[in-house]
Amino acid sequence: MEKLLSKPKYQGKRVRLEKPELLAPAGNLEKLKFAVHYGADAVYIGGQKYGLRSNADNFTFEEMREGVEFAKKYGAKVFVATNIYAHNEDIEGIEEYLRNLYEAGISAIIAADPAIIEVAQRTVPLLEVHLSTQQSTINWQAVKFWKDEGLPRVVLGREASLEEIAEIKNNVEIEIEAFIHGAMCSSISGRCVLSNHFTDRDSNRGGCCQSCRWKYDLFEDAREQADNSTGAEPPAVLQPGITQLPLFEEDDHAFTMGSKDLCMLENIPDLIEVGIDSFKIEGRMKSIHYVATVVNVYRQAIDAYFEDPEHYELKSEWLDELNKAANRPLNTGFFYDTPDHEDHIYVPEEKAAPYDFAGLVLEYDEAEQTAVIQQRNYFKLGQEIEFFGPKGTFFKQTVTEMWDEEGQPLEAARHPLHRIRMKVDQPVAYFDMMRRKH
């Protein structure tokens, strides 16, 4: 993976030097467990209501309680996104919902609508309220307003620069959370209405259809062209009463409005030293492999910095790891300057990450040098695979021998969630992951 950044490092005032919280997405209970195992200090999830990811496998209250209990064993917290902009009918039932969140052990909600914030502060005052990025907060006076309203943390708009963050930290004593990795929205902090107009799905109530990622063609009015020319070809009639001519050639790429993804791995020292309290990774809809890989890389980078800030160096293998889970080209967002045409995607995206999550390690037998693997995706004898894990496991090998639960030899692992025993070249541990290249 080539270096992302050709921009100068942040040269402003360093605010403080404290280890930030690493905050990871969790679209379901299994992803929550992987995020925590792979190094997250906190996770944010969605419930059955009031969140902006209605298509995610959102949590029931029972799953929330299980997730909170699991996270506490590892010293981690669970936050719930209640970040819709509510219409009148959305408010009914919010008090009961918030009480259930508090009783489930949730540490904080992430909210944007002042109505939801007020109800939470009045109904469950011991449940922290963090201001959502949906409020597009990017200046210290707005941050101070929300602090005066009793909020302990503000999630800044993605449009905030490092200089602006430093000014906020210099003027307001409050926790600042900022996105440092993941998808960027082409609108301001996600407040978009394209989805409403195109599909009648409200982006600000959890229904975004990601219309900025669609492929678009460009047309001109053929009637005007015909009026202004002699001997022109008859205009193409695409629909009754409408005449349009495509401006793209058949082999041209369709146009999108999608932005490149954010990645600040190369700039961990700047993020820490400017005083950001919580490093947030986007991706509640992303795969388990994505969540585990990205969290694991940022965990290593943050810990390495605090082990020896003066001699900290970015490791090339961290960038290589991120590339194995990347969905789109990467950049540094608004942290150093305003994105321009080079920070958007104009050709078809390579949606799939280059590696599949092939299996989860359940057991390891040191004497036999075998591991019990819960199979997740197809793999077979002769394929090269990789193992990686939260405790530093990383190696490649070829699949040489494997057996089913009855001890019968297998040539291929075809059935998801089946337990398979296989030879491994090096020791592995519970919750290590096995992946294979496409």
Coordinates of all heavy atoms in Angstrom, one line a residue, residues 99-155:
R99 N -34.9 4.4 29.2 CA -34.8 3.7 30.4 C -34.3 2.3 30.2 O -33.5 1.8 31.0 CB -36.2 3.7 31.1 CG -36.6 5.0 31.7 CD -37.8 4.9 32.6 NE -38.3 6.2 33.0 CZ -39.4 6.8 32.5 NH1 -40.0 6.2 31.4 NH2 -39.8 7.9 32.9
N100 N -34.8 1.6 29.2 CA -34.3 0.3 28.9 C -32.8 0.2 28.6 O -32.1 -0.7 28.9 CB -35.1 -0.3 27.7 CG -36.5 -0.7 28.1 OD1 -36.8 -1.0 29.3 ND2 -37.5 -0.7 27.2
L101 N -32.3 1.2 27.9 CA -30.9 1.3 27.6 C -30.1 1.4 28.9 O -29.1 0.7 29.0 CB -30.6 2.5 26.7 CG -31.1 2.5 25.2 CD1 -30.6 3.8 24.5 CD2 -30.7 1.3 24.5
Y102 N -30.5 2.3 29.8 CA -29.8 2.5 31.0 C -29.8 1.2 31.8 O -28.8 0.8 32.4 CB -30.5 3.6 31.8 CG -29.8 3.9 33.1 CD1 -28.5 4.4 33.2 CD2 -30.5 3.5 34.3 CE1 -27.9 4.6 34.5 CE2 -29.9 3.8 35.5 CZ -28.6 4.3 35.6 OH -28.0 4.5 36.8
E103 N -31.0 0.5 31.9 CA -31.1 -0.7 32.7 C -30.3 -1.8 32.0 O -29.8 -2.8 32.8 CB -32.6 -1.1 32.8 CG -33.4 -0.2 33.7 CD -34.9 -0.5 33.6 OE1 -35.3 -1.4 32.8 OE2 -35.7 0.3 34.2
A104 N -30.0 -1.8 30.7 CA -29.2 -2.8 30.1 C -27.7 -2.5 30.3 O -26.9 -3.4 30.0 CB -29.5 -2.8 28.6
G105 N -27.3 -1.4 30.9 CA -25.9 -1.1 31.3 C -25.2 -0.3 30.3 O -24.0 -0.2 30.3
I106 N -25.9 0.3 29.3 CA -25.3 1.1 28.3 C -24.6 2.3 29.0 O -25.2 3.0 29.9 CB -26.3 1.6 27.3 CG1 -26.9 0.4 26.5 CG2 -25.7 2.6 26.3 CD1 -25.9 -0.5 25.8
S107 N -23.4 2.7 28.5 CA -22.7 3.8 29.2 C -23.1 5.1 28.7 O -23.0 6.1 29.4 CB -21.2 3.6 28.9 OG -20.7 2.4 29.6
A108 N -23.5 5.2 27.4 CA -23.8 6.5 26.8 C -24.7 6.3 25.6 O -24.6 5.3 24.9 CB -22.6 7.3 26.5
I109 N -25.4 7.3 25.3 CA -26.1 7.4 24.0 C -25.4 8.5 23.1 O -24.8 9.4 23.6 CB -27.6 7.7 24.1 CG1 -27.9 9.1 24.7 CG2 -28.3 6.6 24.8 CD1 -29.3 9.5 24.6
I110 N -25.5 8.3 21.8 CA -25.0 9.3 20.9 C -26.2 9.9 20.2 O -27.0 9.2 19.5 CB -24.1 8.7 19.8 CG1 -23.0 7.9 20.5 CG2 -23.5 9.7 18.9 CD1 -22.2 6.9 19.6
A111 N -26.5 11.2 20.4 CA -27.7 11.8 20.0 C -27.5 13.2 19.3 O -26.5 13.8 19.6 CB -28.7 12.1 21.2
A112 N -28.4 13.5 18.4 CA -28.2 14.8 17.6 C -29.4 15.7 17.9 O -29.3 16.9 17.9 CB -28.1 14.5 16.1
D113 N -30.6 15.1 18.0 CA -31.8 15.9 18.1 C -32.0 16.5 19.5 O -31.9 15.7 20.5 CB -33.0 15.0 17.8 CG -34.3 15.8 17.6 OD1 -34.6 16.7 18.4 OD2 -34.9 15.6 16.5
P114 N -32.1 17.8 19.7 CA -32.2 18.4 21.0 C -33.4 17.8 21.8 O -33.3 17.7 23.1 CB -32.5 19.9 20.7 CG -31.8 20.1 19.4 CD -32.0 18.8 18.6
A115 N -34.5 17.4 21.1 CA -35.6 16.8 21.8 C -35.2 15.5 22.5 O -35.5 15.2 23.7 CB -36.8 16.5 20.9
I116 N -34.4 14.6 21.8 CA -34.0 13.4 22.4 C -33.0 13.6 23.5 O -33.0 13.0 24.6 CB -33.4 12.5 21.3 CG1 -34.5 12.0 20.3 CG2 -32.7 11.2 21.9 CD1 -33.9 11.2 19.2
I117 N -32.1 14.6 23.3 CA -31.1 15.0 24.4 C -31.8 15.4 25.6 O -31.5 15.0 26.7 CB -30.2 16.1 23.8 CG1 -29.3 15.5 22.7 CG2 -29.3 16.6 25.0 CD1 -28.5 16.6 22.0
E118 N -32.8 16.3 25.5 CA -33.6 16.8 26.7 C -34.3 15.6 27.4 O -34.3 15.6 28.6 CB -34.6 17.9 26.2 CG -35.2 18.6 27.4 CD -36.5 17.9 27.9 OE1 -37.1 17.1 27.1 OE2 -36.7 18.0 29.1
V119 N -34.9 14.8 26.6 CA -35.7 13.7 27.2 C -34.7 12.7 28.0 O -35.0 12.3 29.1 CB -36.4 12.9 26.2 CG1 -37.0 11.6 26.8 CG2 -37.6 13.7 25.6
A120 N -33.5 12.5 27.4 CA -32.5 11.6 28.1 C -32.0 12.3 29.4 O -31.9 11.6 30.4 CB -31.4 11.4 27.1
Q121 N -31.7 13.5 29.3 CA -31.2 14.2 30.5 C -32.2 14.2 31.6 O -31.9 14.2 32.8 CB -30.7 15.6 30.2 CG -29.5 15.6 29.3 CD -29.1 17.1 28.9 OE1 -30.0 17.9 28.6 NE2 -27.8 17.3 28.9
R122 N -33.5 14.3 31.3 CA -34.6 14.4 32.3 C -35.0 13.0 32.8 O -35.2 12.8 34.0 CB -35.8 15.1 31.6 CG -37.1 15.1 32.5 CD -38.1 16.0 31.9 NE -38.3 15.8 30.5 CZ -39.1 14.9 29.9 NH1 -39.7 14.0 30.7 NH2 -39.2 14.8 28.6
T123 N -35.0 12.0 31.9 CA -35.5 10.7 32.2 C -34.4 9.8 32.8 O -34.7 9.1 33.8 CB -36.1 10.0 30.9 OG1 -37.0 10.9 30.3 CG2 -36.7 8.7 31.3
V124 N -33.2 9.8 32.3 CA -32.2 8.9 32.8 C -30.9 9.8 32.9 O -30.0 9.7 32.2 CB -31.9 7.7 31.8 CG1 -32.9 6.6 32.1 CG2 -31.9 8.2 30.4
P125 N -30.8 10.6 34.0 CA -29.7 11.6 34.1 C -28.4 10.9 34.3 O -27.4 11.6 34.0 CB -30.1 12.4 35.3 CG -31.1 11.6 36.1 CD -31.9 10.8 35.0
L126 N -28.3 9.7 34.7 CA -27.0 9.0 34.9 C -26.5 8.4 33.6 O -25.4 7.9 33.5 CB -27.1 7.9 36.0 CG -27.4 8.5 37.4 CD1 -27.5 7.3 38.4 CD2 -26.4 9.5 37.8
L127 N -27.3 8.4 32.5 CA -26.9 7.9 31.2 C -26.3 9.1 30.4 O -26.9 10.1 30.2 CB -28.1 7.4 30.4 CG -27.8 6.8 29.0 CD1 -26.9 5.6 29.1 CD2 -29.2 6.5 28.3
E128 N -25.0 8.9 30.1 CA -24.3 10.0 29.4 C -24.9 10.2 28.1 O -25.3 9.3 27.4 CB -22.8 9.7 29.3 CG -22.0 9.9 30.5 CD -20.5 9.8 30.2 OE1 -20.1 9.8 29.0 OE2 -19.7 9.9 31.2
V129 N -24.9 11.5 27.6 CA -25.3 11.9 26.3 C -24.1 12.4 25.5 O -23.5 13.4 26.0 CB -26.4 12.9 26.3 CG1 -26.8 13.2 24.8 CG2 -27.6 12.3 27.0
H130 N -23.7 11.8 24.4 CA -22.6 12.3 23.6 C -23.3 12.9 22.3 O -24.2 12.3 21.7 CB -21.7 11.2 23.2 CG -21.0 10.6 24.3 ND1 -20.2 9.4 24.2 CD2 -20.9 10.9 25.6 CE1 -19.7 9.1 25.3 NE2 -20.1 10.0 26.2
L131 N -22.8 14.1 22.0 CA -23.4 14.8 20.8 C -23.0 14.2 19.5 O -21.8 14.0 19.3 CB -23.1 16.3 20.8 CG -23.8 17.1 19.7 CD1 -25.2 17.3 20.1 CD2 -23.1 18.5 19.6
S132 N -23.9 13.8 18.7 CA -23.6 13.1 17.4 C -22.9 14.0 16.4 O -23.1 15.2 16.4 CB -24.9 12.5 16.8 OG -24.6 12.1 15.5
T133 N -22.1 13.4 15.6 CA -21.5 14.1 14.4 C -22.6 14.7 13.5 O -22.3 15.7 12.8 CB -20.6 13.2 13.6 OG1 -19.9 14.0 12.7 CG2 -21.4 12.1 12.9
Q134 N -23.8 14.2 13.6 CA -24.9 14.8 12.8 C -25.2 16.2 13.1 O -25.8 16.9 12.3 CB -26.2 14.0 13.0 CG -26.1 12.5 12.6 CD -25.9 12.3 11.1 OE1 -24.8 11.8 10.8 NE2 -26.8 12.7 10.3
Q135 N -24.7 16.7 14.2 CA -24.9 18.1 14.5 C -23.9 19.0 13.8 O -24.0 20.3 13.9 CB -24.8 18.4 16.1 CG -26.2 18.3 16.8 CD -27.1 19.4 16.5 OE1 -26.7 20.5 15.9 NE2 -28.3 19.3 16.9
S136 N -23.0 18.5 13.1 CA -22.0 19.2 12.4 C -21.2 20.3 13.2 O -21.0 21.4 12.8 CB -22.7 19.9 11.2 OG -23.4 19.0 10.4
T137 N -20.9 19.9 14.4 CA -20.2 20.8 15.3 C -18.7 20.9 15.0 O -18.0 20.0 15.1 CB -20.4 20.4 16.8 OG1 -21.8 20.1 17.0 CG2 -19.9 21.4 17.8
I138 N -18.3 22.1 14.6 CA -16.9 22.3 14.2 C -16.2 23.6 14.7 O -15.1 24.0 14.3 CB -16.8 22.3 12.6 CG1 -17.7 23.3 12.0 CG2 -17.1 20.9 12.1 CD1 -17.5 23.4 10.5
N139 N -16.8 24.3 15.7 CA -16.2 25.4 16.3 C -16.3 25.4 17.8 O -17.2 24.8 18.4 CB -16.8 26.7 15.7 CG -18.2 27.0 16.1 OD1 -18.5 27.4 17.2 ND2 -19.1 26.7 15.2
W140 N -15.4 26.1 18.5 CA -15.4 25.9 20.0 C -16.6 26.6 20.7 O -17.0 26.1 21.7 CB -14.1 26.5 20.5 CG -13.9 28.0 20.5 CD1 -13.3 28.7 19.6 CD2 -14.4 28.9 21.5 NE1 -13.3 30.1 19.9 CE2 -14.0 30.2 21.1 CE3 -15.0 28.8 22.7 CZ2 -14.2 31.4 21.8 CZ3 -15.3 29.9 23.5 CH2 -14.9 31.2 23.0
Q141 N -17.2 27.6 20.1 CA -18.3 28.2 20.7 C -19.5 27.3 20.7 O -20.3 27.2 21.7 CB -18.6 29.5 20.0 CG -17.6 30.6 20.3 CD -17.6 31.7 19.3 OE1 -17.8 31.5 18.1 NE2 -17.4 32.9 19.8
A142 N -19.7 26.6 19.6 CA -20.8 25.6 19.5 C -20.5 24.4 20.5 O -21.4 23.9 21.2 CB -20.9 25.0 18.1
V143 N -19.3 24.0 20.6 CA -18.9 23.0 21.6 C -19.2 23.5 23.0 O -19.7 22.7 23.8 CB -17.4 22.6 21.4 CG1 -17.0 21.7 22.5 CG2 -17.2 21.9 20.1
K144 N -18.8 24.7 23.3 CA -19.1 25.3 24.6 C -20.6 25.3 24.9 O -21.0 25.0 26.0 CB -18.5 26.7 24.7 CG -18.7 27.3 26.1 CD -18.0 28.6 26.2 CE -18.1 29.2 27.7 NZ -19.5 29.3 28.1
F145 N -21.4 25.6 23.9 CA -22.9 25.6 24.1 C -23.3 24.2 24.6 O -24.1 24.1 25.5 CB -23.6 26.0 22.8 CG -25.0 25.7 22.8 CD1 -25.9 26.7 23.3 CD2 -25.6 24.5 22.3 CE1 -27.3 26.5 23.3 CE2 -27.0 24.3 22.4 CZ -27.8 25.3 22.9
W146 N -22.8 23.2 23.9 CA -23.3 21.8 24.3 C -22.7 21.4 25.7 O -23.4 20.7 26.4 CB -22.9 20.8 23.2 CG -23.7 21.0 22.0 CD1 -23.3 21.5 20.8 CD2 -25.1 20.8 21.9 NE1 -24.4 21.6 19.9 CE2 -25.5 21.1 20.6 CE3 -26.1 20.3 22.7 CZ2 -26.8 21.0 20.1 CZ3 -27.4 20.1 22.3 CH2 -27.8 20.5 21.0
K147 N -21.5 21.9 26.0 CA -21.0 21.6 27.3 C -21.9 22.3 28.4 O -22.2 21.7 29.4 CB -19.6 22.1 27.5 CG -19.0 21.9 28.9 CD -17.7 22.5 29.1 CE -17.3 22.2 30.6 NZ -16.0 22.8 30.9
D148 N -22.3 23.5 28.1 CA -23.2 24.3 29.0 C -24.5 23.6 29.2 O -25.2 23.8 30.2 CB -23.3 25.7 28.6 CG -22.0 26.5 28.7 OD1 -21.1 26.1 29.4 OD2 -22.0 27.6 28.0
E149 N -24.9 22.8 28.1 CA -26.2 22.1 28.2 C -26.0 20.7 29.0 O -27.0 20.0 29.1 CB -26.7 21.8 26.8 CG -27.2 23.0 26.0 CD -28.4 23.6 26.7 OE1 -29.4 22.8 27.0 OE2 -28.4 24.8 26.9
G150 N -24.8 20.5 29.4 CA -24.6 19.3 30.3 C -24.0 18.1 29.6 O -23.9 17.0 30.2
L151 N -23.5 18.2 28.3 CA -23.0 17.1 27.6 C -21.5 16.9 27.9 O -20.8 17.9 27.8 CB -23.2 17.2 26.1 CG -24.6 16.7 25.6 CD1 -25.7 17.5 26.2 CD2 -24.6 16.8 24.1
P152 N -21.0 15.7 28.2 CA -19.6 15.6 28.6 C -18.7 15.3 27.3 O -17.5 15.4 27.4 CB -19.6 14.3 29.4 CG -20.8 13.5 28.9 CD -21.8 14.5 28.5
R153 N -19.4 15.0 26.2 CA -18.6 14.7 25.0 C -19.3 15.2 23.7 O -20.5 15.1 23.6 CB -18.3 13.2 24.9 CG -17.5 12.8 23.6 CD -17.4 11.3 23.5 NE -16.5 10.7 24.5 CZ -16.1 9.5 24.5 NH1 -16.3 8.7 23.4 NH2 -15.3 9.0 25.5
V154 N -18.5 15.7 22.8 CA -19.0 16.1 21.5 C -18.3 15.3 20.4 O -17.0 15.3 20.4 CB -18.8 17.6 21.2 CG1 -19.1 18.0 19.8 CG2 -19.7 18.4 22.1
V155 N -19.0 14.7 19.5 CA -18.5 14.0 18.3 C -18.4 15.1 17.2 O -19.5 15.5 16.8 CB -19.3 12.8 17.9 CG1 -18.5 12.1 16.8 CG2 -19.6 11.9 19.1

